[in-house]
Amino acid sequence: MKNTTPQRKPIGRWIAWISFALVICVAAAALAVPVVRRMQDGQDFGEAFAGTLARMPVTFASPEFLLGLLLLPIVILLGRKSLAGLDRVRRRMAVGLRLALVTLLVLALAEVEWRDLTQRVEVIYVVDHSRSIPEGKSQEVLDLINKSRGRMDPRIDLGKIVVFGREGYNEATLRRDGAPLTRYASDIDRDYSNLEEGISRALEALEPNARGRIVLLSDGNQTAGDVKNAIAKAREAGVPIDVVPIEYSYNEEVLVEKIKIPEEAKIGEPFLARVVIRAAEDTEAKVHLWRDGALIETRPVLLKRGVNVEKFQLELDEAGFFRVEAVVQIVGKQKDHLFQNNTAHGFVFARGKAQVLYVHDEADPEASEAHHFLLALKAAEIRVKVIPATDFPLKVGELQGFDAVILDDVARPAFSDKQLKNIETAVADMGIGLIMIGGARGFGAGEWRNTPVEKALPLEMDIKQEQVIPDGALALVIHSCEMAEGNAMAINVCQKAVDNLSAKDTIGVLVYGQKGSMWAVKPTKARNKRQIKAKIRQMQVGDMPDFDPIFSLAVTALEKLPSAVKHMIVMSDGDPSQPRASLLKRCRKARITVSTICYFAHGGAQGPSVDLMKRIANVTGGKYYYLDDAKKLPQIFLKESKRVTRSLIVNKTIVPAIRGQSPVLAGFDGFPELTGYVLTEAKPRAEVALTAPDGSPILAHWQYGVGKTLAFTSDAKPRWATEWVAWEGFQPFWSQAVRWVKKDVQESVFKVSTTLKGDQGQIVVDAISEDGETVSGLNVRAKVSSPDPKEPTREIQLVQQGAGRYVARFPVTKVGTYSVSLLSLDAEGQRRHSVTTGLVVPYSDEFKRLKSDRTFLEEIAKLGGGKIVEPEQLATFEINPWRREDLGEREALEERWSFALALALLLFFIDVATRRVAIDWDKLIARAKAVVTRKETPRTIDRLRERKARVQQAREETLHKFTAEPGVDHGPVDVAGAGSVGGPGGDQGQDRPRPKPKPKPKPTADGAAEGGYTNRLLEAKRRARRELDEGKDRG
Amino acid sequence: MRRRPFSAACVAAFACGLAGCPAPAGQPLGGAVAAPASSAAPLATPSEAARGGDEGAEGIAPLYVPGEPFPVPQPLPAKSIGRLIQGGPAPQSGAGPIEFWIGGKGKEDGRFAYPRALVTNAEGVLFVADKTGRIQKFSPEGSLLALVRTPGVVQGKPTGLGIDPEGNLLVADTHYCRVLRYDAADLTLESWYGAPGRDPGRFMMITAVQATRDGKLHFTTDFGDDVARVQVFRPDGTYVRSWGTFGDGPLQFKRPMNLALDEDRDRVYVADSANHRVGVFDLEGKFIAHFGGQGREAGQLQYPYDVKVGESGEVWVAEFGNQRISVFDPEGALLGSWGAPRRALGGLNRPWAVALGPKGRVWALDSNGDRCYALRQNAFLGGSK
């Protein structure tokens, strides 16, 4: 062990403190100078400070953690104690390391970032993928882009592709070594070229910490947007725009510019349609003219280069709005590149004479007897179109040509929900009249209950009032079924039966349930249908052993009811024991009909089980059904439950009585008798013109929305109106009724113009009355139908903008003719004007441009601060899109917290090492020296011997110091550490396990020398003590 | 293994469980069996199918008309299983003296789907017919021995079972209007007789078939439409006699569901369900008495669907309407009843049948609950609810 202490240099401490202070000063200066400069520029201290911090090369993402630096003094304090065992150098190193460690950790937590100018370059290719560009060129562009990737620096450069048509989308990211792009995946509207969108999208896609350049690949035919806006944005962002022109020109092209056709025409009068065709060269072609999807004419033509006009003569034979299309088709060898520009659209509207739509029921056996009615109308010179219910128009627009719709004895099931809704809309919004004439299929008996048509009519199909009006009673008997889903089905159909009944009818359901034969639903009026259905859903259908008690319950209840129609439906497999004969007799007496539905899986349509079911039905006058297909059950049930609702038909001879003044009855003071009618109830605001003696309406009418409706609950056929048909007043009555109901709309003197503004259509109506005055305060509505039948009709309200001017806009997305039908009402809703017109949306300008626009592209490049790059230059890398010139500068913040953390870890290990690991410097130096001078390293044992020799030498010297003069006898004294007292002496220690000191030369003298040695020691000791005492005395 | 007794125990138990399903001793079980072993009938070719107006087993098998030697069909394979059945120990207190139960809802072997008929043979083996058309054979301890499906199930399933003195199983195939006879050992179909029809000698919906002790006569009940009667046949299908019409008079029935023979006392008990009574007749068909009467009180009946005679002549009745099993003495006095109309385990929900086994065993068929309880006779004495 070294026992020389190094010389402490107090100066080292000073150096440490001074350097520390210097560091602080430098940092302060670095901070202060820009702060002061900014303050000189006029900012106050706070701003200056913040500004300076903002521009520091080092920033922190979470600067709040910098408060951790306050821990540093604590580290030092702690270090004092825990590191006390170390020597000063080590301690200082340890503390220093700890401080550094803590600082680095704090920096890492605060997410230190290093600010630097970035060298990354990002190139965004903005590719025009509109249809004006030929397909082949598009592919070439793609190849070009793929090739240009070769110039990317894969470490730092970035590339993207933005594709645009009408909109722009980020298509892909380019990688130098990635797979080449083969086609575009983005779904864009290629019918437009919107360069502005493309460049805007590219700017958004730029990475913030890369220097950007946009390369625009386009043909320059801008058909949407304004690219100058986008260029300005790019300049601001410091992004130059290079332009690669895609050049082409169509030499062989034929397009139809437009079709000139008058907007309105009269029926039967011919008019001209002019088709303007432009051809690039002389070509043979065919021109097709279509009207509403039907081909009218095909004409072969010889087109000359330039503009050609073909005239077609057309004539309309019916009223309505018609879409006309002209299509040109090249015949011969020439190629026509773009087909989208081969069609032009137009429209023509024809007004017609008054016409009425008469709808009858095809299945009606008495349909032929409707001719009485039709003859009457014909005699009154009312034009009638007769159709069966199955041919009823599907679209509301098709009803526009009619002034009135007559439904004569037609049941609702013949129509779809949409058709019914269309009828209601036609009446309410278009002013078309509606007449419903009854018969066994009209009104409630025809299931018109709860339909939109019922809403339009002045009568209610459901009789709600509590009067002595016959109603029906229905009892359902349900027996649990062999089939798995049978019970569920039974419950289902029971609920549907409830729906079918009117509020006046009584319903009850019997089962063999928990308590045996019981009412699952006690006989009750079908008013609160929801409640009844809920009870049905909850019922437990059990295995009925015996019909007798069930029938007993049912018959007893039904007998007591005053209902006009009493009916039972029994669903069973026939196993239950038969009801006693007397019960069936009572059924007959009370006119209770029992229908039985027998369900098995299949087979066994005869046999004992069904005998009973058959018999019950036969005896009581009901119907027997054998159910082999479960799907038929609802049908059967519905049919059966309708027996009850048929009570709405009254087969009685009555003479209708006149009630009140009605314009429809003008000139009539009496009417012949009728032998039947359908029961209905008048709505509160309805005008009831004729009634039956019991008060139920026979003829009622009212206004519904813009139109009028009329209801006649008897019929116009010899079945119920035998006397009427023969009556001389039949024809005037009905023609008067029809005329009253007809649409009463005047021809308009309004001026309507429709124009296309961008992607919107605009309707402008100038309302001028007959005397030339502008009309304000009108309610003008428009219905717009798209050329695409799948799109729904749009309803728009026009807004008054200025005196007599009404304007509205609507979005236009499809190419073709939009039909616009306008209706205007004045404040009281009285005067009605209607106009039908259209808006032609031609194909995009995209398809009119037949070549690329180089000039425009050059302008873009100039404005954008870039240059025109020919495709070849790009392909041969003559020009590198990733070049660093002309690019704006970008700063990037790069995180350094991971670096700080790594360093902290390293320091941590070093810290531990410095405290725990002791390095023998001497040895190291010696080793080093040895290595350098190639001296042999002394072996350990040699070193030990050497050491021992040295120690021994030192000891002898010391000993010598204390040696007394020979001959002095000092007596035995215990000399500390000199070996055992009185013993033989120090060299007796040879037998002790210790590195033996070199054996001292044996004393040749005898014991006297030894004794002399001890004496000498003693003498030395005495001398030393004496010196001490003398010193003491002196000091 | 020495060190892990628990695992060893588990493995051993598992192995035992697999191997130790009680295989029926010595019975040849298994798939298709060739020709029926013991059949008294001559092997004759089947006669032609439907005879004028006879429908029923369309395409399944030809019908037999009384008077003709009846055909022997191809026996149907019987499925047999030797597995442990579903079931468990008796439910907790309050439910009565149920020892165990068998079944449970399902169409798998050992389970029931709305079981409707029970019968036991002399050894106490139980047969259960349910609404899938299966007839399952259980040991007195409740393990499933074999099962078979009646040949026709499409029109309906059997609702009556009986045993003849040779131990063969008789099935009243209700909607096919015939009686089937199965060899009880392996449940192979041996023969049948019956045809649909109103006239005596034909069947409407046949609900029961029981054999006399000497095996010479079969008593059946059938009903349908306005027919309700007891008919007597010989085992070969020859019609002997019948009595009964629809109604509530002495010799009248309404939906007779089962009958039981007490030959010692020369009695026939008929479960006259829609009349809510048990009719007592002698073997010739002479009326003796009725007992029951509609009601829920003790001693009254509601829709008695099954009737069985015990060793001492007591009459066991399964009441569909009152959801209980009642037992009467031969004079019609109530001895006791048991049943709780509940869906839960332990309840008796619309019982269709009751059967008696040796050693005081009573089987009660909980039809809506799809299970069959095994009870002890002494539970009934004392007249619990």
Side-chain angles (χ1 to χ4, degrees):
Chain A
M1 193 154 102
K2 247 163 63 159
N3 39 18
T4 51
T5 39
Q7 280 291 72
R8 201 68 56 77
K9 295 197 176 73
I11 282 179
R13 203 190 309 170
W14 287 110
I15 290 176
W17 279 112
I18 288 169
S19 45
F20 183 59
L22 267 174
V23 165
I24 298 282
C25 287
V26 165
L31 199 60
V33 166
V35 172
V36 165
R37 197 151 30 90
R38 277 164 200 261
M39 283 174 70
Q40 278 175 347
D41 281 344
Q43 296 176 352
D44 64 27
F45 180 70
E47 277 178 29
F49 196 64
T52 312
L53 276 185
R55 302 300 297 169
M56 290 259 106
V58 174
T59 50
F60 300 97
S62 317
E64 55 267 15
F65 284 102
L66 288 176
L67 287 171
L69 289 173
L70 292 171
L71 290 171
L72 291 177
I74 299 175
V75 171
I76 299 176
L77 278 169
L78 286 174
R80 286 235 159 139
K81 254 197 147 168
S82 65
L83 302 171
L86 299 175
D87 61 80
R88 285 190 91 139
V89 171
R90 288 250 186 97
R91 195 163 71 236
R92 293 263 160 81
M93 268 176 73
V95 172
L97 279 172
R98 282 190 181 178
L99 288 175
L101 191 79
V102 173
T103 313
L104 284 169
L105 281 174
V106 167
L107 287 181
L109 277 172
E111 292 184 57
V112 57
E113 287 169 340
W114 189 257
R115 193 197 294 268
D116 197 4
L117 287 179
T118 181
Q119 284 308 308
R120 307 178 99 170
V121 173
E122 186 175 15
V123 169
I124 304 195
Y125 287 106
V126 179
V127 182
D128 184 344
H129 195 47
S130 59
R131 273 197 229 279
S132 53
I133 297 179
E135 282 304 317
K137 285 277 173 196
S138 252
Q139 196 57 40
E140 276 178 36
V141 161
L142 205 49
D143 292 338
L144 207 59
I145 294 173
N146 283 330
K147 238 179 152 181
S148 74
R149 289 182 300 158
R151 291 303 296 259
M152 282 172 81
D153 183 346
R155 291 167 300 156
I156 50 174
D157 283 342
L158 301 163
K160 286 204 178 91
I161 300 184
V162 166
V163 163
F164 73 92
R166 194 187 194 151
E167 327 83 31
Y169 284 110
N170 276 348
E171 171 70 28
T173 305
L174 288 176
R175 269 181 250 287
R176 180 185 157 132
D177 306 314
L181 201 65
T182 47
R183 55 181 189 82
Y184 300 115
S186 302
D187 182 21
I188 51 173
D189 183 354
R190 298 179 60 195
D191 288 343
Y192 292 89
S193 302
N194 192 342
L195 281 79
E196 179 189 0
E197 262 290 301
I199 295 183
S200 300
R201 196 68 53 237
L203 289 170
E204 282 165 23
L206 271 178
E207 298 275 330
N209 57 356
R211 304 164 82 179
R213 164 179 282 114
I214 288 179
V215 178
L216 174 69
L217 300 101
S218 169
D219 63 348
N221 286 328
Q222 176 176 256
T223 55
D226 187 359
V227 73
K228 298 210 173 58
N229 299 334
I231 296 177
K233 278 197 265 180
R235 286 220 88 139
E236 252 186 64
V239 178
I241 305 179
D242 282 349
V243 178
V244 178
I246 304 174
E247 311 215 55
Y248 62 87
S249 84
Y250 290 120
N251 293 324
E252 308 149 332
E253 184 64 29
V254 167
L255 56 84
V256 183
E257 269 210 18
K258 56 174 158 250
I259 172 169
K260 282 201 188 135
I261 187 171
E263 287 190 0
E264 263 200 52
K266 290 212 171 58
I267 297 183
E269 283 187 17
F271 57 94
L272 274 182
R274 290 186 183 78
V275 183
V276 179
I277 307 172
R278 190 198 292 271
E281 288 177 351
D282 295 354
T283 339
E284 248 184 67
K286 274 200 220 156
V287 181
H288 308 275
L289 201 64
W290 299 76
R291 194 192 81 186
D292 262 356
L295 184 64
I296 309 176
E297 193 182 327
T298 300
R299 184 188 295 178
V301 293
L302 194 58
L303 297 170
K304 292 201 220 342
R305 183 171 168 190
V307 178
N308 300 261
V309 178
E310 286 298 323
K311 297 196 187 64
F312 291 84
Q313 183 161 305
L314 297 175
E315 194 181 310
L316 294 172
D317 52 2
E318 57 178 338
F321 181 84
F322 301 100
R323 291 180 164 90
V324 178
E325 282 172 24
V327 181
V328 72
Q329 186 189 12
I330 295 190
V331 167
K333 295 187 299 273
Q334 283 92 336
K335 279 188 299 199
D336 183 15
H337 286 273
L338 298 167
F339 62 87
Q340 290 90 343
N341 54 21
N342 292 1
T343 311
H345 301 270
F347 65 89
V348 64
F349 178 67
R351 288 181 198 281
K353 282 198 270 185
Q355 198 179 189
V356 154
L357 184 67
Y358 175 85
V359 185
H360 65 93
D361 196 342
E362 229 174 5
D364 189 354
E366 294 170 77
S368 54
E369 295 177 326
H371 73 265
H372 295 278
F373 182 77
L374 292 170
L375 274 173
L377 290 187
K378 207 170 184 176
E381 291 186 7
I382 300 173
R383 290 176 60 211
V384 183
K385 182 171 175 185
V386 179
I387 54 164
T390 45
D391 285 355
F392 194 81
L394 295 164
K395 287 204 252 208
V396 70
E398 294 174 67
L399 290 172
Q400 261 179 339
F402 300 101
D403 292 338
V405 173
I406 302 177
L407 299 169
D408 187 359
D409 197 13
V410 198
R412 179 245 179 273
F415 300 88
S416 73
D417 287 343
K418 184 105 201 329
Q419 286 171 317
L420 297 179
K421 193 88 188 74
N422 286 348
I423 297 174
E424 191 213 352
T425 312
V427 175
D429 294 345
M430 300 202 291
I432 294 170
L434 174 67
I435 297 181
M436 179 177 277
I437 305 176
R441 273 179 298 268
F443 303 96
E447 292 172 59
W448 288 98
R449 216 195 304 264
N450 288 336
T451 55
V453 170
E454 189 201 9
K455 276 202 229 142
L457 288 171
L459 301 177
E460 294 256 22
M461 314 295 169
D462 205 359
I463 317 294
K464 291 195 186 76
Q465 289 171 17
E466 286 282 352
Q467 282 172 24
V468 188
I469 290 175
D471 59 350
L474 182 64
L476 302 171
V477 174
I478 314 290
H479 172 198
S480 104
C481 178
E482 192 99 358
M483 295 182 278
E485 41 322 318
N487 281 350
M489 220 172 39
I491 288 178
N492 220 9
V493 292
C494 285
Q495 292 183 78
K496 288 215 173 77
V498 171
D499 271 333
N500 247 18
L501 299 176
S502 76
K504 280 229 75 178
D505 298 323
T506 309
I507 174 114
V509 184
L510 291 140
V511 294
Y512 186 79
Q514 307 258 22
K515 301 195 192 82
S517 305
M518 54 185 268
W519 291 98
V521 175
K522 285 213 175 51
T524 172
K525 293 244 186 276
R527 204 174 290 128
N528 188 346
K529 295 201 170 126
R530 228 162 45 132
Q531 210 180 48
I532 297 172
K533 288 201 280 191
K535 264 200 234 162
I536 290 176
R537 280 196 293 274
Q538 288 162 11
M539 64 187 190
Q540 304 272 0
V541 179
D543 195 354
M544 199 180 287
D546 192 358
F547 277 135
D548 193 73
I550 295 274
F551 267 68
S552 183
L553 286 171
V555 172
T556 315
L558 286 173
E559 275 175 341
K560 294 205 193 87
L561 293 175
S563 313
V565 173
K566 298 177 190 172
H567 191 54
M568 272 174 71
I569 305 178
V570 176
M571 280 225 297
S572 170
D573 57 6
D575 278 2
S577 185
Q578 63 153 357
R580 66 195 101 123
S582 56
L583 276 173
L584 296 179
K585 277 206 196 88
R586 277 164 66 187
C587 281
R588 288 184 70 96
K589 195 144 164 250
R591 289 196 299 150
I592 302 170
T593 48
V594 183
S595 288
T596 53
I597 304 175
C598 194
Y599 48 51
F600 278 10
H602 41 237
Q606 329 283 353
S609 334
V610 303
D611 283 356
L612 174 61
M613 303 287 269
K614 270 191 204 163
R615 189 160 62 84
I616 293 175
N618 287 338
V619 164
T620 58
K623 217 167 155 343
Y624 160 77
Y625 301 88
Y626 178 75
L627 192 74
D628 51 2
D629 181 5
K631 292 196 200 80
K632 295 211 185 112
L633 185 59
Q635 259 173 295
I636 295 174
F637 232 84
L638 250 53
K639 195 163 147 200
E640 282 298 313
S641 47
K642 264 178 64 176
R643 282 166 163 250
V644 173
T645 57
R646 230 183 264 169
S647 63
L648 285 170
I649 295 175
V650 179
N651 283 311
K652 260 186 6 194
T653 308
I654 55 136
V655 174
I658 301 177
R659 290 254 176 290
Q661 303 262 23
S662 165
V664 178
L665 301 183
F668 291 91
D669 47 14
F671 293 91
E673 63 184 29
L674 297 161
T675 53
Y677 58 95
V678 181
L679 281 173
T680 51
E681 247 180 27
K683 290 186 184 160
R685 290 189 305 114
E687 283 186 44
V688 180
L690 292 175
T691 51
D694 63 7
S696 61
I698 299 290
L699 175 67
H701 58 80
W702 72 349
Q703 173 147 349
Y704 185 73
V706 177
K708 301 198 198 105
T709 60
L710 184 139
F712 188 75
T713 56
S714 184
D715 76 359
K717 293 181 198 146
R719 187 201 312 176
W720 286 345
T722 336
E723 296 234 341
W724 279 54
V725 162
W727 174 45
E728 71 217 346
F730 185 69
Q731 184 251 354
F733 170 76
W734 279 115
S735 59
Q736 189 158 278
V738 172
R739 285 223 169 76
W740 181 82
V741 126
K742 254 168 43 166
K743 179 163 76 169
D744 175 28
V745 175
Q746 300 164 16
E747 301 210 356
S748 177
V749 295
F750 294 170
K751 254 178 48 172
V752 181
S753 77
T754 52
T755 41
L756 186 62
K757 294 231 181 292
D759 58 356
Q760 290 199 318
Q762 181 174 272
I763 309 169
V764 177
V765 174
D766 281 309
I768 302 174
S769 65
E770 292 90 6
D771 24 331
E773 300 281 323
T774 56
V775 185
S776 296
L778 288 176
N779 178 1
V780 187
R781 294 201 295 258
K783 269 199 183 25
V784 177
S785 304
S786 153
D788 181 359
K790 287 199 210 75
E791 283 187 6
T793 308
R794 203 183 279 270
E795 296 209 17
I796 312 170
Q797 183 76 34
L798 278 82
V799 173
Q800 179 156 6
Q801 287 181 4
R805 173 166 276 219
Y806 304 81
V807 179
R809 283 196 181 197
F810 59 93
V812 154
T813 49
K814 298 261 188 271
V815 172
T817 305
Y818 280 75
S819 83
V820 176
S821 88
L822 295 154
L823 185 66
S824 72
L825 307 168
D826 66 10
E828 294 93 38
Q830 288 300 325
R831 268 169 64 198
R832 286 154 291 186
H833 297 256
S834 86
V835 174
T836 307
T837 182
L839 174 68
V840 174
V841 178
Y843 54 78
S844 161
D845 279 350
E846 193 71 24
F847 304 109
K848 285 213 176 96
R849 314 284 176 84
L850 300 183
K851 63 180 173 69
S852 53
D853 191 344
R854 172 127 189 162
T855 329
F856 188 58
L857 291 171
E858 283 173 4
E859 205 185 313
I860 294 176
K862 203 162 87 169
L863 281 174
K867 45 169 115 160
I868 290 271
V869 180
E870 300 299 332
E872 304 79 51
Q873 290 175 312
L874 199 61
T876 59
F877 298 151
E878 194 184 315
I879 294 189
N880 174 20
W882 277 274
R883 62 188 189 280
R884 262 59 173 168
E885 305 133 28
D886 310 324
L887 290 174
E889 293 201 337
R890 280 267 185 286
E891 278 183 352
L893 284 175
E894 279 165 51
E895 58 91 7
R896 288 278 179 265
W897 63 264
S898 44
F899 175 67
L901 198 60
L903 202 56
L905 267 174
L906 185 65
L907 290 183
F908 179 69
F909 282 120
I910 296 179
D911 174 40
V912 172
T914 55
R915 283 183 278 122
R916 295 281 175 247
V917 173
I919 301 177
D920 189 345
W921 293 105
D922 284 341
K923 208 197 292 186
L924 276 177
I925 293 170
R927 275 270 172 89
K929 269 202 198 148
V931 165
V932 167
T933 59
R934 293 181 198 269
K935 227 203 248 175
E936 226 187 72
T937 323
R939 280 174 33 221
T940 312
I941 187 79
D942 295 334
R943 278 194 278 124
L944 281 170
R945 282 209 196 105
E946 229 186 291
R947 219 163 182 192
K948 190 182 177 216
R950 269 191 276 139
V951 167
Q952 191 66 18
Q953 220 181 337
R955 226 211 255 158
E956 278 193 349
E957 283 175 15
T958 320
L959 225 46
H960 213 70
K961 227 161 69 175
F962 294 119
T963 312
E965 268 72 54
V968 177
D969 189 357
H970 299 285
V973 173
D974 178 22
V975 181
S980 50
V981 174
D987 53 351
Q988 288 302 330
Q990 272 179 14
D991 53 343
R992 282 193 230 155
R994 246 193 288 167
K996 294 199 187 118
K998 201 163 177 206
K1000 78 185 232 296
K1002 284 222 178 339
T1004 47
D1006 49 40
E1010 291 177 25
Y1013 182 72
T1014 317
N1015 285 336
R1016 268 187 277 140
L1017 271 171
L1018 285 167
E1019 190 51 42
K1021 196 169 178 229
R1022 257 187 242 123
R1023 223 190 298 144
R1025 226 186 281 144
R1026 235 184 291 138
E1027 279 174 14
L1028 253 171
D1029 290 337
E1030 281 170 20
K1032 257 200 217 152
D1033 292 338
R1034 250 184 270 137
Chain B
M1 276 307 185
R2 175 168 55 89
R3 276 195 241 134
R4 295 178 192 228
F6 182 68
S7 317
C10 286
V11 170
F14 188 62
C16 283
L18 276 181
C21 308
Q27 307 259 358
L29 312 163
V33 181
S38 55
S39 168
L43 287 153
T45 52
S47 53
E48 286 307 304
R51 294 200 159 215
D54 294 346
E55 280 88 2
E58 294 161 48
I60 296 173
L63 292 182
Y64 169 68
V65 175
E68 282 196 359
F70 57 86
V72 176
Q74 287 293 326
L76 297 169
K79 246 176 109 175
S80 55
I81 313 87
R83 290 201 305 266
L84 281 173
I85 38 84
Q86 303 291 326
Q92 300 314 308
S93 60
I98 303 173
E99 278 198 21
F100 60 89
W101 56 273
I102 55 172
K105 189 182 176 72
K107 294 203 177 131
E108 305 90 40
D109 303 339
R111 287 186 179 250
F112 303 136
Y114 201 50
R116 295 187 292 192
L118 282 183
V119 77
T120 45
N121 67 5
E123 285 87 48
V125 167
L126 178 74
F127 297 87
V128 183
D130 72 359
K131 216 167 168 181
T132 57
R134 289 174 302 168
I135 299 170
Q136 304 191 62
K137 177 180 168 187
F138 292 88
S139 74
E141 293 74 42
S143 41
L144 180 65
L145 302 174
L147 73 80
V148 73
R149 191 185 296 269
T150 49
V153 293
V154 161
Q155 273 162 229
K157 287 82 179 175
T159 61
L161 293 174
I163 291 279
D164 77 3
E166 287 163 35
N168 293 316
L169 182 68
L170 300 168
V171 179
D173 201 355
T174 312
H175 294 269
Y176 288 88
C177 318
R178 59 189 179 191
V179 172
L180 307 171
R181 193 180 76 181
Y182 282 86
D183 174 274
D186 49 10
L187 288 183
T188 51
L189 182 63
E190 299 198 324
S191 62
W192 70 72
Y193 64 85
R198 263 169 198 275
D199 304 328
R202 296 191 170 225
F203 293 120
M204 295 294 271
M205 288 188 279
I206 172 174
T207 50
V209 57
Q210 304 292 344
T212 51
R213 239 180 306 188
D214 54 10
K216 293 223 176 86
L217 290 178
H218 287 170
F219 281 72
T220 66
T221 54
D222 65 310
F223 81 99
D225 199 8
D226 54 359
V227 167
R229 60 196 170 194
V230 174
Q231 301 196 74
V232 185
F233 289 81
R234 293 222 186 81
D236 61 0
T238 325
Y239 166 74
V240 175
R241 63 172 176 277
S242 74
W243 72 90
T245 53
F246 183 87
D248 51 16
L251 276 175
Q252 291 188 312
F253 307 102
K254 278 192 198 173
R255 191 162 183 170
M257 290 297 283
N258 210 337
L259 57 76
L261 303 171
D262 187 355
E263 287 169 81
D264 298 331
R265 290 179 186 71
D266 185 25
R267 282 201 179 166
V268 175
Y269 297 96
V270 180
D272 191 1
S273 64
N275 279 328
H276 311 286
R277 65 189 184 193
V278 173
V280 187
F281 307 86
D282 72 359
L283 288 169
E284 293 303 312
K286 197 168 94 183
F287 170 73
I288 299 179
H290 287 138
F291 63 84
Q294 183 172 18
R296 309 182 69 190
E297 305 304 314
Q300 292 185 311
L301 300 170
Q302 283 218 85
Y303 293 114
Y305 268 24
D306 197 7
V307 64
K308 294 280 198 302
V309 175
E311 279 171 2
S312 337
E314 71 278 12
V315 181
W316 297 81
V317 181
E319 292 184 65
F320 179 84
N322 282 331
Q323 302 182 86
R324 63 186 179 199
I325 312 284
S326 302
V327 59
F328 299 84
D329 71 3
E331 275 64 53
L334 179 71
L335 293 176
S337 67
W338 172 85
R342 283 205 295 272
R343 290 207 92 99
L345 182 60
L348 202 59
N349 201 317
R350 300 283 176 224
W352 274 65
V354 65
L356 305 166
K359 300 194 203 122
R361 164 73 69 234
V362 178
W363 299 96
L365 189 61
D366 177 7
S367 302
N368 256 1
D370 304 303
R371 31 176 185 248
C372 187
Y373 296 114
L375 311 161
R376 287 271 150 225
Q377 237 185 54
N378 48 20
F380 289 80
L381 305 174
S384 54
K385 179 176 124 30

